[in-house]
Amino acid sequence: MGARAHPTSAHWGHYQVVVDEGRVVDVRPNPDDPAPAPIMNNVPAAQHHKTRVARPTVRRRWLDHGPGPDPRRGDPEDEYVEVEWEKALDLLAQELDRVRTEHGNQAIYGGSYGWGSAGRVHHAQTLVHRFLNSIGGYTRSRTTYSHGAIETLFPRILGAPSVPRLLHRAPTWKQIQEHTELLVTFGGLRLSNTWNASGGRAAQTAGPAMREASDAGVQYVSLSPLRDDIPEHVKAGWVPVRPGTDAAVMLALMYVLFTEGLADTGFLDRCTEGSDVVRSYVLGDRDERGYGPGLARTPEWAERVSGVPADELRSLARQMAEKRTLVNVGWSVQRARYGEQPLWAGVALASCLGQIGLPGAGFACGYGSVGTYGGGSTPLGLPRMPQGENPVSEFIPVTGISDALLNPGGLYEYDGQERRYPDLRLVYWAGGNPFHHHQDLKRLTRAFGRADTIVVNETHWTASARHADIVLPATSSLERDDIATSQGDLSVRVMARAVEPHGQARDEYDTFAALAERLGAGERFTEGRTSGEWMRHIYEQWRATTARNGFEVVPFDTFRAEGGVEMPGRVDDEALLAEFRADPEGNALQTPSGRIELFSSTIDSFGLEDCPGHPVWLAGPAVADREGEYPLVLVANQPSGRLHGQQDMGAHSMSQKVRGRAPLRLGPADAAAYGVADGDVVRLSSAQGSCLAGVVVSDAVSEGVVQLSTGAWYDPSSTEADCVHGNPNALTADVGTSALSQGCTGQLLRVRLERFAGPEDRLPPVRAFDPPVGVTPVG
Ligand SMILES: Nc1nc2c(c(=O)[nH]1)N[C@H]1C(S)=C(S)[C@@H](COP(=O)(O)OP(=O)(O)OC[C@H]3O[C@@H](n4cnc5c(=O)[nH]c(N)nc54)[C@H](O)[C@@H]3O)O[C@H]1N2
Ligand SMILES: Nc1nc2c(c(=O)[nH]1)N[C@H]1C(S)=C(S)[C@@H](COP(=O)(O)OP(=O)(O)OC[C@H]3O[C@@H](n4cnc5c(=O)[nH]c(N)nc54)[C@H](O)[C@@H]3O)O[C@H]1N2
Ligand SMILES: [Mo]
C-alpha cells in the first residue's frame, strides 16, 4: 500500500496527514486553505516521537510508599515504572475512592485547564469533568489564562452577556472593510496567533481578511513593543509602546479628546455611567480614590511613561475622533499585573469617541488573538458532549493552583468576595500542561509536592507528566474518530482516524469509562454509549437544533461519508452593542446603571488597592526600570512555531531554536550593549528564577525589550539555570492581575541578561525530550 493523505483537523486548522505503512510521514495543506499555518509541520515528528507516553506509568516512590506529599515530585532523576492497564486503573480507582471517602469530593482538583486537542467527542477537558461529575464532583476552576480580566471585569462594566458577545461576535473583517476607516490596535494583530483557534477552523481566513481590508483603504495603527506584531502585508503605522503602559496612552488620548472638545458628550451622557469621574481623573482634578486632586494625564505625561511622543498621541487622538474608528485591545495587554486597566480605559476611550454600536466601530478585544475573531459567529451552537452536573460548588480562580496547594484554608480575594482555598489532595489533569502555562514553575513544583496524588493523562511526556504519580497514555487526535468545528467556524468536519494508537495509548473516553465502572458510575458516565455512538448522538442532537431553527443539515451517515457539512446559520453582520446604542433605556445593559460603567460603584465598594472604581494608571512591576537590577522587559508572548508547548519537538518548532534553545529576540542596540550576537546562549534572570535561551538579533524589537515566547518544554535538569531550554515561566511571578480578576500575568516581567560564558562543554544539554528514567520509548 502506498502513502495516503487523510484530511484532519487541529486547533491550527484543517489539513492533511500523509500516512505510509501506519506512520505519519508528511503533512499537506488543505487545497482550499488560502493561508495554511506552518505549525502543521510539527505533526509528523511529534506523532511518533520518543516522548509519546506509550504505557500506563507510575512513579516509583508513589508505588512504593503510597499517596502523600512528596517534595521529590518533578525531580529529573525520579524513576517511573511501566505497569499493565488493569493495574494502573485499579490503583487510580482505589486512590480516587480513598480521597472522596476520607476528604470529600472537593479534595479532588479537576480544573484541568488547557487546550488539549481539537475534536468535540474526545475533548479531554469535557471528559475529565464528565467523569469527575459522575463520581461525585470536584473542585473546578474559573476563567482562563487567555482572558481572565476580560471575563471578570466586563460583566461588571458591560453586563454579563458582554463576555460571549465580545469574544465571539465582534464586527467581522467584512464589516471592517466596509465601514472602518481607522483600526487602532493595542497589542498588534499578530498573524501567527490567528493560525490557532480553540477547535480549529475550516480555513485560515484572518490573515487574508486583514490584507483585504488594508487594500480597501482601512488604516491600521499598531501600538506594540514588536513591529512584527502586525503582518507585513498590512499597511500599518507602528507605534512602539513600552510594555505595560497602554492605560497611560489611553488616558492621554482621552485627555486630548476632553480638552479639545472632541469627546462625544452626547454619547457619554446617554450611554455611560461615571464619565464625569473619568474626566476629572484624566484632567487631574481627582486622584484614583477621589481623595483629592491628582495628576493631569497629558500627552507629555504619557510620553514619559510609555515612550510614545506627545505629538503622536495628539495627532492620533484627533484622527480617532475624526474617523470611523475601531479600538482593539489584544488579550495580551490584559495578561499582566493591573491588566483590568487597559481594558477599562479602552472602553472609556471608545466611549469618548462615541462610536460604540456603529458598524465597524467602537470597542473590541481579540482581533489578532485567535483566528476566529472577526470571522463571524455560529449562534445555533455546535455539537457538544454534555459534562453533567457538578455536585461540588467549590472553585478556585484558574491561576490559583499553586496558592491553593501551598496554602489550604488560606484567605484570598476574588471578584468582591473573600474566599478560602480548599484543601486539595488529588489533582487530575487531562488535556493541559500547567508546567507550560502557569507562572513561577519552581513554585508550582513545590505546590505539586504538597498533594497526595497527581494524575496526568497525556499524549507526551511533558513536564507536567513528569511531576505526576500516575500517567495514563492518551491517543492523539490522529488515532481516533471525531468531529471538528469551533465557535464561528465555516463548517463541521469529520476527523477520521488516520493511524493506530501509539503503543498502548487509549482513548480517554474508554479510560474514564473503565474508571467510572470501578467506582460504581459506569452507566452514569457512558449512558450506555460507546464514543462512536456519542459521536452520532451529539451530531444528531445538533442537527435537531438547527432544524428547529429552520436550517436542514444532512444526517450523520451522509455527514460521515461526505467528510463534513457547511455551518448552518452563520451570522457575519453584527455591530456590537448596536441595539443598546439605538435605545439605551429599552435595551439596557445588565449593569447596575443599565449603561456602560466607566465608574462602577460596585467595584469601588470592594475597596481594592489594585483595581479602583474606574480606569486609572497603575505602574505594574513589569514597567521598564532601566537603572534597576532587572533592566529589560521580557515579553512572554505566544510562540509562532507551535501552539503553546504542544509538539515543541516538531520540525517547525525546532527550526526556530538556537543551539537547541528557545530563541530570545532583542534589538541591535541592546545586543551591542550586552555584547551578544546571533547564536549566543544567554542566561536570563528575574526575581523568581533563571533560564537559558539563544540570541536572535532583530530590529523588530523595540529598545529595552526582549521577547521569549512561551512553550519551550521546561527543563530543570541542570544547576546552571532553573530551565536550560528557555521556558519563560521559569522566570515569571505567580501573581494575579488584581484582587478583582486574579487573571494570568505571564505576559510581562523584568529580567537581567548575561552572556553564558564558559566553554561549549559547560553548556548544559537540553534533556526535555528524553523520556524519564525507567520509561522505554516505543518508536
Ligand atoms: N508566561 C506566559 N504564560 C502563559 C501565557 C503567556 O502569555 N505568558 N499564555 C497563557 C495562555 S493564554 C494559555 S491558553 C495557556 C496554555 O496552556 P495549555 O493549554 O496548558 O498548553 P498546551 O501546551 O496547549 O497544553 C495542552 C496539553 O494537552 C496535551 N494533549 C493533546 N491532546 C490531548 C488529548 O487528547 N488528551 C490529553 N489528555 N492530552 C492531550 C498536549 O500534549 C499538551 O501537553 O498558557 C498560558 N501561559
Ligand atoms: N501560533 C500560536 N497562536 C496562538 C497561540 C499559540 O500558542 N501559538 N495561543 C492561542 C491562545 S491560547 C491565545 S489566548 C491567544 C493569545 O493572543 P494574544 O494574547 O493577543 O497573543 P500574545 O502573542 O501573547 O501577544 C500579542 C502581542 O502583544 C504584545 N504585547 C505584549 N504586552 C504588551 C503591552 O503591554 N502592550 C502592548 N500594546 N502590546 C503588548 C506583544 O508584543 C505580543 O507579541 O493566541 C492564540 N494563538
Ligand atoms: Mo489562551
Side-chain angles (χ1 to χ4, degrees):
M1 239 177 49
R4 267 193 59 193
H6 294 254
T8 192
S9 267
H11 298 302
W12 45 88
H14 191 55
Y15 64 106
Q16 299 172 7
V17 286
V18 180
V19 176
D20 194 13
E21 295 187 359
R23 290 177 76 88
V24 178
V25 292
D26 202 357
V27 288
R28 280 183 203 154
N30 187 24
D32 299 338
D33 197 327
I39 292 176
M40 70 176 77
N41 293 305
N42 290 328
V43 171
Q47 168 62 24
H48 307 287
H49 196 255
K50 62 181 176 178
T51 53
R52 278 299 299 271
V53 184
R55 296 181 199 85
T57 311
V58 184
R59 207 165 65 87
R60 162 74 73 195
R61 285 166 61 86
W62 191 92
L63 200 56
D64 291 350
H65 305 291
D70 185 352
R72 281 275 303 272
R73 264 190 205 106
D75 184 321
E77 304 308 324
D78 225 6
E79 191 194 337
Y80 280 84
V81 184
E82 299 183 320
V83 300
E84 296 298 318
W85 263 108
E86 293 304 298
K87 176 162 181 185
L89 293 170
D90 287 344
L91 281 171
L92 177 51
Q94 263 168 32
E95 174 58 0
L96 284 161
D97 198 40
R98 180 192 73 85
V99 172
R100 72 174 174 177
T101 313
E102 285 179 13
H103 304 284
N105 276 75
Q106 80 290 341
I108 302 174
Y109 180 65
S112 188
Y113 181 81
W115 273 53
S117 49
R120 310 293 300 173
V121 177
H122 299 282
H123 183 245
Q125 297 312 302
T126 304
L127 294 178
V128 71
H129 295 156
R130 180 175 172 85
F131 163 66
L132 292 173
N133 285 338
S134 78
I135 65 157
Y138 64 97
T139 292
R140 66 189 196 285
S141 61
R142 270 229 191 139
T143 78
T144 61
Y145 282 75
S146 311
H147 34 58
I150 295 174
E151 291 164 83
T152 316
L153 176 71
F154 281 1
R156 299 266 175 218
I157 66 168
L158 291 164
S162 68
V163 173
R165 287 199 64 103
L166 267 166
L167 294 179
H168 299 301
R169 303 173 78 166
T172 56
W173 285 107
K174 197 176 101 191
Q175 282 173 300
I176 292 174
Q177 186 175 329
E178 268 170 43
H179 301 282
T180 310
E181 290 172 309
L182 175 62
L183 199 168
V184 177
T185 175
F186 295 85
L189 298 171
R190 201 169 149 76
L191 183 65
S192 54
N193 285 347
T194 68
W195 291 334
N196 283 291
S198 181
R201 189 168 170 82
Q204 298 287 0
T205 51
M210 286 180 206
R211 180 210 297 260
E212 279 163 33
S214 170
D215 291 347
V218 176
Q219 185 191 340
Y220 294 73
V221 174
S222 169
L223 293 105
S224 175
L226 306 180
R227 190 185 60 223
D228 48 13
D229 272 342
I230 194 142
E232 258 177 41
H233 67 238
V234 163
K235 289 187 277 305
W238 176 40
V239 182
V241 56
R242 283 186 200 129
T245 66
D246 302 80
V249 167
M250 293 164 178
L251 291 167
L253 294 171
M254 284 189 263
Y255 181 92
V256 178
L257 299 178
F258 283 129
T259 54
E260 299 191 4
L262 298 172
D264 186 337
T265 47
F267 182 86
L268 290 172
D269 290 345
R270 225 163 48 89
C271 295
T272 74
E273 171 74 15
S275 66
D276 50 331
V277 178
V278 172
R279 186 189 156 95
S280 318
Y281 173 74
V282 166
L283 298 183
D285 298 336
R286 136 188 192 123
D287 65 10
E288 297 77 42
R289 317 263 149 210
Y291 293 155
L295 194 68
R297 307 295 159 174
T298 61
E300 285 69 22
W301 165 79
E303 176 175 343
R304 287 193 294 279
V305 175
S306 68
V308 183
D311 289 348
E312 264 184 61
L313 290 171
R314 281 210 170 77
S315 116
L316 181 61
R318 290 170 193 151
Q319 283 187 63
M320 289 171 85
E322 200 181 301
K323 296 190 164 156
R324 176 66 64 96
T325 301
L326 181 57
V327 178
N328 179 53
V329 179
W331 297 348
S332 61
V333 175
Q334 50 92 66
R335 204 175 301 115
R337 183 88 174 121
Y338 311 131
E340 292 82 3
Q341 302 314 315
L343 285 176
W344 206 348
V347 171
L349 173 61
S351 298
C352 289
L353 296 172
Q355 302 184 27
I356 290 177
L358 294 179
F363 179 81
C365 54
Y367 296 107
S369 294
V370 281
T372 40
Y373 202 89
S377 64
T378 46
L380 300 183
L382 308 171
R384 191 181 294 280
M385 279 292 281
Q387 297 197 2
E389 293 292 315
N390 188 350
V392 173
S393 61
E394 189 63 79
F395 72 87
I396 60 170
V398 71
T399 57
I401 180 64
S402 290
D403 288 339
L405 287 167
L406 290 168
N407 194 14
L411 277 173
Y412 69 98
E413 282 178 281
Y414 170 68
D415 198 18
Q417 306 165 32
E418 191 158 277
R419 302 180 50 87
R420 280 185 192 283
Y421 286 116
D423 186 0
L424 304 173
R425 298 304 177 109
L426 185 148
V427 174
Y428 202 138
W429 228 289
N433 183 357
F435 282 84
H436 162 77
H437 66 234
H438 197 54
Q439 282 55 68
D440 195 346
L441 294 181
K442 263 193 301 187
R443 184 167 190 260
L444 185 63
T445 295
R446 282 203 301 285
F448 269 39
R450 296 289 287 272
D452 288 354
T453 300
I454 309 271
V455 189
V456 167
N457 293 2
E458 253 296 350
T459 51
H460 288 79
W461 278 104
T462 60
S464 297
R466 302 177 80 126
H467 282 76
D469 302 302
I470 300 179
V471 180
L472 298 180
T475 48
S476 81
S477 61
L478 296 174
E479 298 161 7
R480 54 205 188 202
D481 290 326
D482 214 327
I483 299 175
T485 188
S486 67
Q487 281 284 350
D489 208 338
L490 308 166
S491 66
V492 181
R493 301 170 294 284
V494 176
M495 283 166 82
R497 178 196 266 213
V499 288
E500 292 298 307
H502 181 86
Q504 295 179 16
R506 276 194 192 168
D507 291 354
E508 273 153 297
Y509 182 84
D510 297 330
T511 301
F512 287 130
L515 284 170
E517 184 64 39
R518 280 169 172 73
L519 291 161
E523 173 66 25
R524 209 172 310 149
F525 179 77
T526 63
E527 294 177 42
R529 292 188 189 94
T530 63
S531 60
E533 287 161 354
W534 272 107
M535 184 171 159
R536 176 184 297 271
H537 179 70
I538 65 172
Y539 179 90
E540 286 297 342
Q541 273 188 327
W542 170 74
R543 189 166 85 93
T545 310
T546 64
R548 275 197 302 279
N549 287 281
F551 292 90
E552 290 293 338
V553 294
V554 295
F556 181 75
D557 291 317
T558 318
F559 161 73
R560 190 167 210 173
E562 291 178 354
V565 290
E566 225 172 88
M567 181 67 74
R570 276 176 47 80
V571 173
D572 62 2
D573 58 354
E574 280 170 308
L576 217 50
L577 298 173
E579 336 71 61
F580 167 68
R581 178 191 182 90
D583 180 5
E585 310 244 298
N587 299 315
L589 302 181
Q590 291 176 26
T591 58
S593 62
R595 295 188 295 273
I596 299 170
E597 303 227 327
L598 303 187
F599 177 85
S600 159
S601 46
T602 313
I603 295 177
D604 186 61
S605 75
F606 298 158
L608 305 175
E609 280 296 310
D610 49 8
C611 189
H614 61 90
V616 297
W617 163 246
L618 298 170
V623 171
D625 173 15
R626 297 232 66 174
E627 308 305 316
E629 194 181 345
Y630 302 104
L632 294 166
V633 179
L634 190 151
V635 172
N637 59 353
Q638 313 301 309
S640 62
R642 61 190 166 266
L643 172 65
H644 309 139
Q646 296 194 36
Q647 311 193 332
D648 187 23
M649 73 298 283
H652 183 56
S653 174
M654 290 307 286
S655 73
Q656 298 182 339
K657 306 237 178 205
V658 177
R659 286 158 81 187
R661 301 177 210 246
L664 171 93
R665 291 204 308 168
L666 80 173
D670 285 317
Y674 285 91
V676 296
D678 280 340
D680 283 346
V681 172
V682 291
R683 184 206 309 271
L684 295 167
S685 325
S686 74
Q688 268 61 46
S690 60
C691 73
L692 304 185
V695 169
V696 175
V697 180
S698 162
D699 64 3
V701 182
S702 50
E703 217 173 309
V705 170
V706 295
Q707 179 211 339
L708 178 67
S709 296
T710 63
W713 279 22
Y714 184 51
D715 186 341
S717 65
S718 161
T719 49
E720 292 285 354
D722 295 318
C723 171
V724 299
H725 191 193
N727 185 321
N729 282 324
L731 310 173
T732 48
D734 187 3
V735 56
T737 50
S738 78
L740 184 82
S741 312
Q742 300 290 4
C744 168
T745 60
Q747 181 80 193
L748 299 178
L749 63 146
R750 283 216 312 256
V751 298
R752 186 172 66 224
L753 180 153
E754 303 148 300
R755 206 161 151 219
F756 186 86
E760 179 75 15
D761 59 9
R762 266 207 39 224
L763 199 56
V766 174
R767 296 225 160 90
F769 301 132
D770 297 341
V773 181
V775 166
T776 316
V778 171

